Amino acid sequence: MVPLVLLAFAVSVLAVEGYTSRGFAGDHVGRGERAGRSGAGVPQEITEGGPVVDAGHDPPRTYRAPARTVVLTFDDGPDPAWTPRIRAVLDRHDVPGTFFVTGRQTARHPALVRDLIRSGHEIGVHTFSHPDLATQSEDAVDRELAFTQLALAGAAGVHSSLVRMPYSSTTGALDGPSWAVARHLGEKGYVLAFVDQDTRDWSRPGARAIADAAVPKVPGRGTIVLLHDSGGDRSQTVRALQTLVPRLKADGYRFSTVAGLVGAERLTGGAGTAERWQGWVFVTAVTVSGTTVSVLGALLLVVGGLVLARCVLMLGLAHRHARLARRRPRAGPGPPVPGPVSVVVPAYNEVVCTGKTLRSLAASDHPVEIVVVDDGSDDGTADAAEALGLPGVTVVRTPNRGKAAALNTGVLRASHDIVVMLDADTVFEPSTVRRLVEPFAGPSVGATAGNAKVGNRHGMLGRWQHIEYVMGFNLDRRMDDLPRCMPAVPGAVGVFRVTALRRAGMLSGDTLAEDTDLTMALHRAGWEVRYAEHAVAGTEAPGSLRQLRRQRYRWSYGTMQAAWKHRHALVERGHAGRFGRVGLPLLAVFQILTPLLAPLLAPLLAPLIDLLTLYGLVFGNAALTLLAWCGVLAVQGVCAAYAFRLDGEPLWALPLQQVVYRQVMYLVLVQACLTAPSGYRLPWQRLKRKGNVVVPPRGGGLPCEV
């Protein structure tokens, strides 16, 4: 339920933000289209009349400022930095101003609007998101005004019938399309306020130039002046007012508002109780939505930076690892290194898989002892293993105590100091064991991770998981192998020194990721963990999305449990401290934090980049959004292509995997993160086996049966 609630919240806030500030793509119309619909230009009495227009009458009425009367108007606010400073100057000189506010700024800073009204200033409407109304559909224009009225009602309990159209400061700037909008606004009861003099203070020409531009060009003539209290640095506007107001007063000018010119007592009135409550809900929704989108934008930058850094780091280290691996001579079919080994196979109800697994081990070109630990199976797994009659195979029957206990039992029954561990559904190549034990020629090596591949790639889901294994798991292990900070030896294919296991405390059932837990314990015990990329094994991946989700939920949750259990490695010394200060942060940043930030507010559908892509397609520039999204996929594609080149694998299933499969993985990670704080002991979730694993081929192609 929590992911569903978070999803609903994310979709709601993005819809509110997009709908109120941007509108849909269908809202925008061309000027030619609107001009054709209006069918008329601007009447001469408008262009030659006063700057205040009441277009609701026929013919329209216009108003001018009386002689020696100045109306100071301010657009684009309120702004938390500049509106209070401008208001302070006006209040100090007892001068009223008319502030044309945008609904979006009003919703963000409602207290500023209340302060303006309390100081006796007039409030006008400057649309909600400051679009060019001449390029908007009629519905979009109505929505801009309705949203602004809701914002005013919620912020200050008022409404206003005074409006100024963005990008139309003077009546001379009107054309056919904009006049059509003006007529529409007049029919809805709005009075339009244009100006006589535009100070162009937005261009910051200097305080003196702004003050000079506000002085009536003809001495004694009344004028309406355009200034701005938002949209950038307005320090010059503040300084200009400090000299302009005393200067005009000294010349005998008085100051008024637009309402004083029209003759109406006030163009701003009180809103009803219902309107105030609706406005309060609207302001709250807009505020929360705006804040959320801002946070999402910041998270997008963080996630993008982390993804790019991870790709660069991964490619660089993987390339260096591949070069070093090519220089290291690999053992041939000659003398084994370092000698016979034991292989422990834990099995619980694995009758469909055991035969294929044991036959692949028996075909190994390295001498092995095979210990099958039947963990209380009730499907005849132990009998099937014994019935194979393979040489060197010992079957141990135990009550069901879990995988960790079964592995410990097998280790105790092993005859050799090197023990290979694999799942009962895993199939080895003949050379896998030999290549796994090559690093054990070094006495400091305590464990080696093999190269696990998906062995049942028959359907699209299997191919997607194969891409994940090659692109993520194995490329990550190459990156982690260089600084000797590999966080996990996979349970499907790994080998351990028994001496190291005993010093690390053997396998534990404390977490759901016993392989990760054990690997971290080995690091803390001072042992090195290596990666043998040529030791290939095929493992059976989940065959349905439901099983896949359950498996990865267990993995993600178990990884978090293991990282928390071994957190003290951060302050330890030696190899343990290096793992704690390098391996654990890499694990936290690239395997938990990076994928978690992406779907933080949309855990059920998509990661952050995908959710914002949908937002951009609906409310923003679709072409630019698609370009950015493709750029992110291209970066990931480069990493994938290089990973597949290193492993000699085809890449044709990658595009669809990026769109569909990874969404399931993000959901799983968020579900695990929601579970972790509760400390819930998630039960082991066993997958239903089909026994369709085949030996992964070298260099791609179709797998081969054992």
Side-chain angles (χ1 to χ4, degrees):
M1 291 305 297
V2 174
L4 286 175
V5 171
L6 292 177
L7 169 62
F9 174 76
V11 172
S12 298
V13 297
L14 287 177
V16 170
E17 172 69 8
Y19 188 69
T20 56
S21 63
R22 298 174 181 269
F24 297 113
D27 291 338
H28 301 277
V29 297
R31 277 183 170 268
E33 178 185 349
R34 182 173 279 281
R37 288 192 308 183
S38 65
V42 184
Q44 185 175 1
E45 58 268 24
I46 297 298
T47 57
E48 295 179 355
V52 180
V53 178
D54 185 353
H57 295 80
D58 192 14
R61 300 174 183 174
T62 63
Y63 304 87
R64 291 186 180 276
R68 293 196 173 277
T69 301
V70 175
V71 178
L72 299 178
T73 65
F74 302 88
D75 283 6
D76 300 345
D79 183 275
W82 304 111
T83 301
R85 300 186 189 185
I86 291 174
R87 179 176 60 83
V89 174
L90 298 180
D91 291 350
R92 189 183 314 126
H93 296 283
D94 196 23
V95 170
T98 301
F99 289 81
F100 290 92
V101 299
T102 65
R104 190 168 187 175
Q105 288 293 97
T106 298
R108 289 176 174 175
H109 311 290
L112 298 180
V113 178
R114 292 194 292 269
D115 291 341
L116 289 173
I117 294 175
R118 278 196 296 264
S119 295
H121 301 289
E122 186 175 40
I123 300 297
V125 173
H126 199 43
T127 71
F128 189 86
S129 57
H130 204 276
D132 183 356
L133 295 183
T135 65
Q136 303 291 302
S137 68
E138 197 168 276
D139 289 340
V141 172
D142 292 342
R143 186 171 62 245
E144 284 283 330
L145 298 175
F147 285 162
T148 308
Q149 297 291 3
L150 276 175
L152 287 174
V158 300
H159 61 76
S160 175
S161 56
L162 180 63
V163 65
R164 174 168 288 163
M165 298 165 53
Y167 309 108
S168 299
S169 59
T170 66
T171 55
L174 290 171
D175 57 9
S178 55
W179 173 242
V181 176
R183 288 300 303 265
H184 175 69
L185 295 178
E187 292 170 358
K188 296 183 74 66
Y190 285 97
V191 174
L192 286 81
F194 298 91
V195 299
D196 295 298
Q197 295 173 230
D198 185 353
T199 63
R200 300 180 65 84
D201 61 336
W202 53 267
S203 64
R204 302 187 64 200
R208 181 167 182 173
I210 295 173
D212 291 342
V215 175
K217 296 179 174 58
V218 178
R221 176 178 293 178
T223 186
I224 299 178
V225 180
L226 173 60
L227 297 155
H228 294 82
D229 64 326
S230 186
D233 186 350
R234 295 292 171 250
S235 57
Q236 293 183 1
T237 303
V238 175
R239 294 198 303 270
L241 285 172
Q242 291 170 346
T243 60
L244 173 65
V245 173
R247 176 179 172 183
L248 292 176
K249 281 192 171 184
D251 290 339
Y253 286 90
R254 72 180 186 90
F255 294 87
S256 182
T257 61
V258 175
L261 308 186
V262 177
E265 191 170 310
R266 285 186 74 87
L267 292 175
T268 302
T273 302
E275 292 175 309
R276 294 188 183 206
W277 277 106
Q278 292 172 358
W280 179 85
V281 172
F282 178 76
V283 168
T284 302
V286 171
T287 302
V288 172
S289 300
T291 302
T292 302
V293 171
S294 298
V295 171
L296 284 176
L299 288 178
L300 179 60
L301 293 177
V302 173
V303 171
L306 289 174
V307 169
L308 183 60
R310 181 176 187 269
C311 288
V312 172
L313 183 64
M314 184 185 295
L315 290 176
L317 293 180
H319 177 68
R320 178 171 175 78
H321 184 276
R323 289 178 57 189
L324 294 176
R326 286 193 294 268
R327 294 175 184 174
R328 290 196 302 265
R330 292 198 301 271
V337 179
V341 301
S342 299
V343 181
V344 177
V345 184
Y348 173 71
N349 289 345
E350 302 281 4
V351 67
V352 298
C353 307
T354 304
K356 188 176 291 187
T357 298
L358 295 181
R359 281 192 291 268
S360 74
L361 292 172
S364 175
D365 61 14
H366 191 94
V368 297
E369 169 202 34
I370 304 173
V371 179
V372 179
V373 181
D374 182 78
D375 188 34
S377 300
D378 55 14
D379 66 344
T381 296
D383 295 336
E386 292 174 339
L388 293 174
L390 296 174
V393 176
T394 301
V395 178
V396 179
R397 303 170 187 259
T398 66
N400 181 251
R401 294 180 297 169
K403 183 178 180 181
L407 287 170
N408 286 334
T409 299
V411 171
L412 294 176
R413 293 291 298 267
S415 304
H416 306 289
D417 189 50
I418 304 298
V419 175
V420 176
M421 298 181 186
L422 72 158
D423 295 333
D425 65 326
T426 301
V427 175
F428 274 19
E429 288 183 344
S431 63
T432 299
V433 174
R434 170 170 50 85
R435 288 170 167 165
L436 269 176
V437 300
E438 286 176 4
F440 282 85
S444 62
V445 176
T448 300
N451 189 342
K453 293 179 179 289
V454 173
N456 54 329
R457 314 175 205 167
H458 310 294
M460 187 61 68
L461 185 60
R463 292 188 176 95
W464 286 345
Q465 292 176 81
H466 172 58
I467 293 173
E468 180 190 21
Y469 272 63
V470 175
M471 180 181 170
F473 301 154
N474 293 327
L475 200 59
D476 281 339
R477 291 190 181 104
R478 291 177 185 271
M479 180 178 69
D480 294 330
D481 189 33
L482 284 178
R484 304 292 187 262
C485 292
M486 189 177 306
V489 173
V493 51
V495 59
F496 301 85
R497 197 184 299 272
V498 174
T499 305
L501 289 175
R502 288 173 177 166
R503 290 185 184 177
M506 301 293 285
L507 287 100
S508 169
D510 292 343
T511 74
L512 290 176
E514 78 289 330
D515 47 4
T516 303
D517 184 9
L518 174 61
T519 307
M520 293 182 178
L522 288 172
H523 282 294
R524 296 184 67 188
W527 294 93
E528 289 187 9
V529 179
R530 304 297 302 274
Y531 176 53
E533 68 272 15
H534 298 289
V536 178
T539 185
E540 182 174 341
S544 68
L545 284 176
R546 176 182 174 83
Q547 290 188 349
L548 175 64
R549 185 191 66 81
R550 294 175 64 183
Q551 181 198 64
R552 300 310 168 82
Y553 181 26
R554 175 174 59 84
W555 285 6
S556 297
Y557 190 46
T559 299
M560 294 177 191
Q561 288 177 311
W564 180 254
K565 177 180 177 180
H566 297 283
R567 63 191 182 279
H568 297 296
L570 290 167
V571 296
E572 293 175 342
R573 297 181 178 180
H575 180 75
R578 181 174 63 177
F579 169 74
R581 289 182 285 277
V582 178
L584 283 181
L586 286 176
L587 175 73
V589 170
F590 291 132
Q591 295 188 35
I592 298 177
L593 180 62
T594 300
L596 175 62
L597 282 179
L600 188 61
L601 296 178
L604 193 60
L605 287 183
L608 178 61
I609 183 63
D610 295 334
L611 189 62
L612 291 184
T613 296
L614 293 175
Y615 174 80
L617 290 175
V618 176
F619 298 112
N621 187 318
L624 185 61
T625 299
L626 284 176
L627 182 63
W629 188 68
C630 290
V632 173
L633 293 185
V635 172
Q636 296 175 342
V638 169
C639 293
Y642 187 66
F644 273 65
R645 178 187 174 189
L646 290 177
D647 274 31
E649 298 283 357
L651 195 60
W652 64 269
L654 176 65
L656 193 57
Q657 190 253 15
Q658 288 290 305
V659 175
V660 179
Y661 176 80
R662 63 192 177 108
Q663 316 307 329
V664 179
M665 297 301 100
Y666 285 124
L667 170 60
V668 165
L669 182 59
V670 172
Q671 186 178 7
C673 289
L674 292 173
T675 307
S678 69
Y680 175 63
R681 297 277 300 182
L682 191 71
W684 189 273
Q685 297 172 336
R686 185 181 177 276
L687 302 179
K688 183 179 180 181
R689 303 298 186 188
K690 296 183 179 180
N692 56 353
V693 177
V694 293
V695 174
R698 305 295 301 188
L702 294 175
C704 307
E705 290 285 353
V706 176

